[in-house]
Amino acid sequence: MSSTHRALIVARMRPDAADDIAEVFETSDRGELPHLVGVTGRSLFQFGDVYLHLIEAERPPGPEVAKVAGHPEFLDVSRKLAAFVQAYDPETWREPKDAMAREFYRWEHPVVP
């Protein structure tokens, strides 16, 4: 079993905003926020207006993100993203964990010694 933890955030995005969103994270990833959450990798995907944000981390990202939700850097990223990204389902979104997809299957190639 891998020691990498993953979380997939699903939202809606402006279809023309991929470069702007990437720039927000490029700037943020140079700061302390990834370290606070334990992020070891980040991938952003777009499918039409669907935004997919894969976080790979040392620890389960959901609880770690919740811990930093009031941090100035997190609030800054959230404020900047608000122009480009919105909740997938605004009726049910209350906090960051409400945008995280539930993993229901994973396969990893076994490590051969």
Side-chain angles (χ1 to χ4, degrees), residues 57-72:
E58 301 163 345
R59 305 177 294 278
E64 297 302 317
V65 169
K67 289 178 188 175
V68 299
H71 190 282

Side-chain angles (χ1 to χ4, degrees), residues 84-97:
F84 313 114
V85 178
Q86 62 180 321
Y88 184 84
D89 182 359
E91 296 291 320
T92 62
W93 194 93
R94 300 290 174 263
E95 57 186 305
K97 74 175 179 127

Side-chain angles (χ1 to χ4, degrees), residues 1-38:
M1 169 92 42
S2 173
S3 63
T4 299
H5 299 271
R6 296 174 187 93
L8 181 65
I9 297 168
V10 181
R12 301 249 182 231
M13 65 181 278
R14 278 193 5 219
D16 63 344
D19 290 342
D20 296 310
I21 295 167
E23 184 177 322
V24 170
F25 281 105
E26 183 179 356
T27 300
S28 173
D29 288 339
R30 289 193 298 261
E32 73 172 336
L33 197 54
H35 173 72
L36 293 174
V37 176

